[in-house]
Amino acid sequence: MLNAMTVDLEDWGQAVLHPGHKITSRVAANLDRVLTLLDRVGVRATFFVLGSVCEAFPRLLPTIRDAGHEIGSHGYGHELVYRMTPARFAADVRRSIQVIEAQIGQRPAAYRAPAFSITRDSLWAVPILAGLGFRYSSSVFPIAGRRYGIADAPRFPYRWPNCELIEFPPATVHLLGRNWPVCGGGYTRLLPAGIMTRALRRINRAGHPAVIYFHPYELAPGEVAAFRREGSRISWRRQLTQELWRSRVADRLARLCDEFAFGTLGEALASIAPALKEQSAGLDSQQDDDTLVWAAS
Ligand SMILES: [Zn+2]
């Protein structure tokens, strides 16, 4: 079973503190750590890149492409989708596509919303993404999160009704009547490693691929303190929770890559394409885990 390894390319300050925060050169140094790690474990990933980061540091995108990874869009300015109007969202995503096309001459097939901010309040974003030519997205977290998530969204790949866009949600486990995030971002830092491996085994044994995600800054211990020294206002509590156990993320990712097979989002979807096609023939809308076409009404 081929799982999908995904990376959201962004700088910590702009992603966590404020979208308008200065983009620092740390994003470039952190990307180098990620590329070195992926090269060492022999995994190709999908990088969801921010247009603003690629503009600030034009060498990044060609470097990622030359290392053989897939390039997807993470939008331009890392604004939450549900805080934007549809017109502003469309302009943001279009701008990100233009940056990618200008820098590497490719139009991205994959999209991920900043902070998984496609929720019930922003489902209008789905036809816009399809209209902009995206073929797949990994933007809806099927959990009841505080800031994101659609609790009853399917956990495995599905096609949105009335368009060709496929949603490939980040990995979750279903336990005690609800879905829980298991792999990615802060969860990779903070959860016991055994939970991640058991969850991925369980997902793969049930015949499904999993999507895991992380950010380059998570491989950089001590970075939040550097932001603070440079004048960013960060509470001690936030510094602690954001820094905690960053030092073990690289090791944990490497170990996951030892046990499980990973590729790009496009490759993982292609590996289940025959099954997806077969199921879609008879289904219109249904709300269980194997749902292929899901009407989020
Ligand atoms: Zn992000």
Side-chain angles (χ1 to χ4, degrees):
M1 181 60 66
L2 190 63
N3 300 290
M5 178 69 77
T6 66
V7 183
D8 296 353
L9 181 69
E10 60 201 26
D11 195 30
W12 183 81
Q14 74 174 143
V16 177
L17 296 179
H18 188 270
H21 195 284
K22 176 178 178 278
I23 301 168
T24 73
S25 60
R26 279 186 285 269
V27 68
N30 295 343
L31 172 64
D32 287 340
R33 297 172 199 241
V34 173
L35 292 175
T36 303
L37 171 70
L38 293 176
D39 182 58
R40 181 159 60 84
V41 294
V43 165
R44 287 192 305 168
T46 296
F47 281 74
F48 292 102
V49 303
L50 275 182
S52 54
V53 168
C54 299
E55 258 179 14
F57 298 98
R59 84 163 171 90
L60 304 188
L61 206 37
T63 307
I64 300 168
R65 186 231 11 228
D66 292 348
H69 302 290
E70 178 182 29
I71 307 287
S73 165
H74 196 34
Y76 183 85
H78 213 270
E79 288 181 72
L80 300 175
V81 178
Y82 53 73
R83 297 242 174 99
M84 288 191 270
T85 62
R88 190 180 165 110
F89 169 73
D92 176 273
V93 178
R94 209 175 280 124
R95 197 169 169 196
S96 81
I97 296 172
Q98 284 162 356
V99 173
I100 295 169
E101 281 183 330
Q103 293 194 347
I104 56 166
Q106 288 175 14
R107 196 173 173 97
Y111 173 81
R112 169 167 290 148
F116 301 103
S117 55
I118 295 186
T119 63
R120 280 202 184 275
D121 293 334
S122 50
L123 285 173
W124 44 257
V126 170
I128 293 175
L129 291 171
L132 287 170
F134 289 101
R135 288 189 287 120
Y136 36 92
S137 160
S138 180
S139 302
V140 176
F141 223 130
I143 58 168
R146 201 158 46 86
R147 283 165 297 131
Y148 53 74
I150 301 180
D152 61 346
R155 296 171 51 221
F156 303 113
Y158 55 95
R159 185 169 61 74
W160 292 101
N162 308 319
C163 68
E164 294 302 311
L165 188 70
I166 304 270
E167 170 65 26
F168 195 166
T172 53
V173 283
H174 188 74
L175 207 68
L176 306 171
R178 56 183 287 188
N179 299 334
W180 305 86
V182 278
C183 247
Y187 312 117
T188 306
R189 274 189 298 130
L190 303 172
L191 290 175
I195 290 187
M196 290 193 297
T197 44
R198 278 200 298 275
L200 287 196
R201 277 182 212 142
R202 196 163 145 179
I203 292 168
N204 285 177
R205 265 204 308 267
H208 300 289
V211 174
I212 76 167
Y213 71 95
F214 67 101
H215 308 92
Y217 56 75
E218 279 159 339
L219 273 60
E223 188 198 50
V224 178
F227 272 95
R228 175 194 274 266
R229 280 197 300 276
E230 289 162 13
S232 300
R233 292 181 53 164
I234 303 159
S235 68
W236 286 110
R237 184 171 173 269
R238 181 170 244 180
Q239 180 172 333
L240 181 72
T241 54
Q242 288 282 326
E243 285 273 1
L244 195 60
W245 288 327
R246 280 191 182 192
S247 54
R248 67 189 193 187
V249 171
D251 231 34
R252 286 184 159 199
L253 289 169
R255 262 189 244 156
L256 282 182
C257 292
D258 277 348
E259 177 169 349
F260 301 92
F262 285 99
T264 67
L265 203 65
E267 289 167 344
L269 271 176
S271 73
I272 56 163
L276 273 174
K277 220 170 191 164
E278 207 172 281
Q279 290 174 57
S280 72
L283 282 174
D284 252 302
S285 120
Q286 211 180 309
Q287 301 237 344
D288 59 42
D289 275 348
D290 294 311
T291 301
L292 185 72
V293 180
W294 185 59
S297 53

